[in-house]
């Protein structure tokens, strides 16, 4: 991204255990014009709860189409502190927003993504991510296409 995205940039990524967000946050710390926004499903905000508490907090996690990023953090997880220090904002997306992102990626761009992979894009599509100003750009990391055909068919219907 350094080579492709000079200037002000907001990078939006999904957050499951916090590894991707931590890595992006550490990279962003080397640039003064990059912000990182982490996105969790509304039904499973385990990282945000852990960051608020400073340690893993067991949550009753709801069902979500973004099941690839739905889990409680393990005790001793190093990502909690890294996310707290290097991720500028954590936010959540609803099931409807995730489903719309999956649909939009397929219909507008021909990209098949699982719910977990589309959550960052869902936040952007729903208008939840500030671009950081007139010159700011947003990159949404879309990763993972391990979606059951039945689930994909239901979301596209």
């Amino acid at each position: 991204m350094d080579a492709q995205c000079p200037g002000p940039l907001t990078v939006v990524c999904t957050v499951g255990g916090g590894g991707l967000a931590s890595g992006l946050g550490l990279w962003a710390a080397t640039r003064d014009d990059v912000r990182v926004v982490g996105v969790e499903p509304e039904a499973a905000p385990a990282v945000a709860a852990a960051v608020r508490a400073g340690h893993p907090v067991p949550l009753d996690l709801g069902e979500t189409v973004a099941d690839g990023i739905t889990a409680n953090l393990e005790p001793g997880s190093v990502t909690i502190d890294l996310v707290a220090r290097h991720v500028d904002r954590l936010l959540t997306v609803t099931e409807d927003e995730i489903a719309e992102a999956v649909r939009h990626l397929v219909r507008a761009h021909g990209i098949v993504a699982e719910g977990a992979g589309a959550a960052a894009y869902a936040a952007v599509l729903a208008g939840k991510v500030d671009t950081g100003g007139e010159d700011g750009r947003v990159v949404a990391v879309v990763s993972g296409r391990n979606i059951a055909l039945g689930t994909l068919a239901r979301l596209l219907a």
Side-chain angles (χ1 to χ4, degrees):
M1 278 191 275
D2 268 332
Q4 294 179 338
C5 300
L9 180 66
T10 299
V11 180
V12 187
C13 68
T14 57
V15 178
L20 177 60
S22 294
L24 287 169
L26 287 167
W27 164 74
T30 68
R31 290 181 50 176
D32 61 359
D33 58 353
V34 176
R35 297 177 326 121
V36 175
V37 174
V39 180
E40 296 179 284
E42 196 174 75
V47 173
V51 165
R52 279 191 303 275
H55 56 82
V57 177
L59 298 178
D60 290 329
L61 304 174
E63 287 197 28
T64 175
V65 69
D67 57 350
I69 54 172
T70 304
N72 281 301
L73 278 78
E74 296 177 5
S77 173
V78 299
T79 59
I80 297 167
D81 184 53
L82 291 169
V83 169
R85 286 190 291 147
H86 299 291
V87 173
D88 297 276
R89 183 173 176 215
L90 291 170
L91 55 85
T92 61
V93 288
T94 67
E95 288 302 294
D96 288 342
E97 290 166 341
I98 297 168
E100 179 56 29
V102 170
R103 283 190 293 274
H104 192 266
L105 285 166
V106 168
R107 292 177 179 154
H109 303 288
I111 296 171
V112 175
E114 62 185 88
Y121 187 64
V124 173
L125 197 61
K128 293 184 174 186
V129 178
D130 178 12
T131 63
E134 187 176 301
D135 296 329
R137 293 179 292 164
V138 175
V139 171
V141 177
V142 177
S143 64
R145 60 183 279 175
N146 186 21
I147 187 168
L149 288 178
T151 302
L152 181 59
R154 179 178 54 82
L155 293 176
L156 292 175

